[in-house]
Structure formats: C-alpha cells, structure tokens
Amino acid sequence: MKALAPTLAYDIALTQDMPPVERATPISIPMQITVGEISPASIHVVGHQLTKAILNAKFVQLAGQDHMVNAKTLLPLLSGFLK
C-alpha cells in the first residue's frame, strides 16, 4: 500500500467545507489545477470549483494517481504547462 502524504489529514480538513473560492476570481494568469484520479473526492470538488472561479484555469486529473503523484507522471505535465 502506498503511503499517503503526511498533510493529507489537513488537506481533507480544509476541504470539508467549501473554501472561499470566490476569492480566486481576480486571478487571471494561466493556472493548472491538478489532482490525482484516486485522491479524496473533496479535493476533486475544490479543484473543479477553483477551475470554474479562475478565468484561465485548466483542470487536469492524473489517471491512477493519488495525493502523492508519481514524479515521472507529474514532471512532463508541468514541463508542458510551463513552456
């Protein structure tokens, strides 16, 4: 079994209630909201809400990944986004 991020309990606690995503609406720079496919559902909900709130945001779900995304999966995605 994979070890979960030590901060996962805090992440879940922070996403139990919908955060004030409306505070993100002024952000206009391109942003990529990335979640692992098998991350907790609450993290997906917040990711989708942020994607809707931020004008130039794109939601990406990494297949087969949890909260501790494999670097070999993440790095090409980030490199492509940051070009």
Side-chain angles (χ1 to χ4, degrees):
M1 174 179 256
K2 279 181 144 181
L4 292 177
T7 60
L8 187 56
Y10 300 108
D11 296 340
I12 292 170
L14 289 170
T15 59
Q16 280 182 335
D17 296 320
M18 185 54 67
V21 294
E22 67 278 355
R23 292 177 62 190
T25 58
I27 299 171
S28 60
I29 60 170
M31 188 169 293
Q32 183 168 283
I33 310 294
T34 307
V35 300
E37 176 185 27
I38 54 178
S39 290
S42 57
I43 292 175
H44 286 257
V45 169
V46 172
H48 282 295
Q49 291 297 322
L50 285 170
T51 303
K52 289 178 187 173
I54 299 169
L55 179 64
N56 292 310
K58 175 183 173 187
F59 183 86
V60 177
Q61 178 176 284
L62 296 175
Q65 299 296 307
D66 59 15
H67 194 64
M68 294 295 292
V69 175
N70 180 298
K72 288 181 181 180
T73 301
L74 184 60
L75 290 176
L77 178 71
L78 290 178
S79 293
F81 176 73
L82 295 172
K83 281 187 178 182

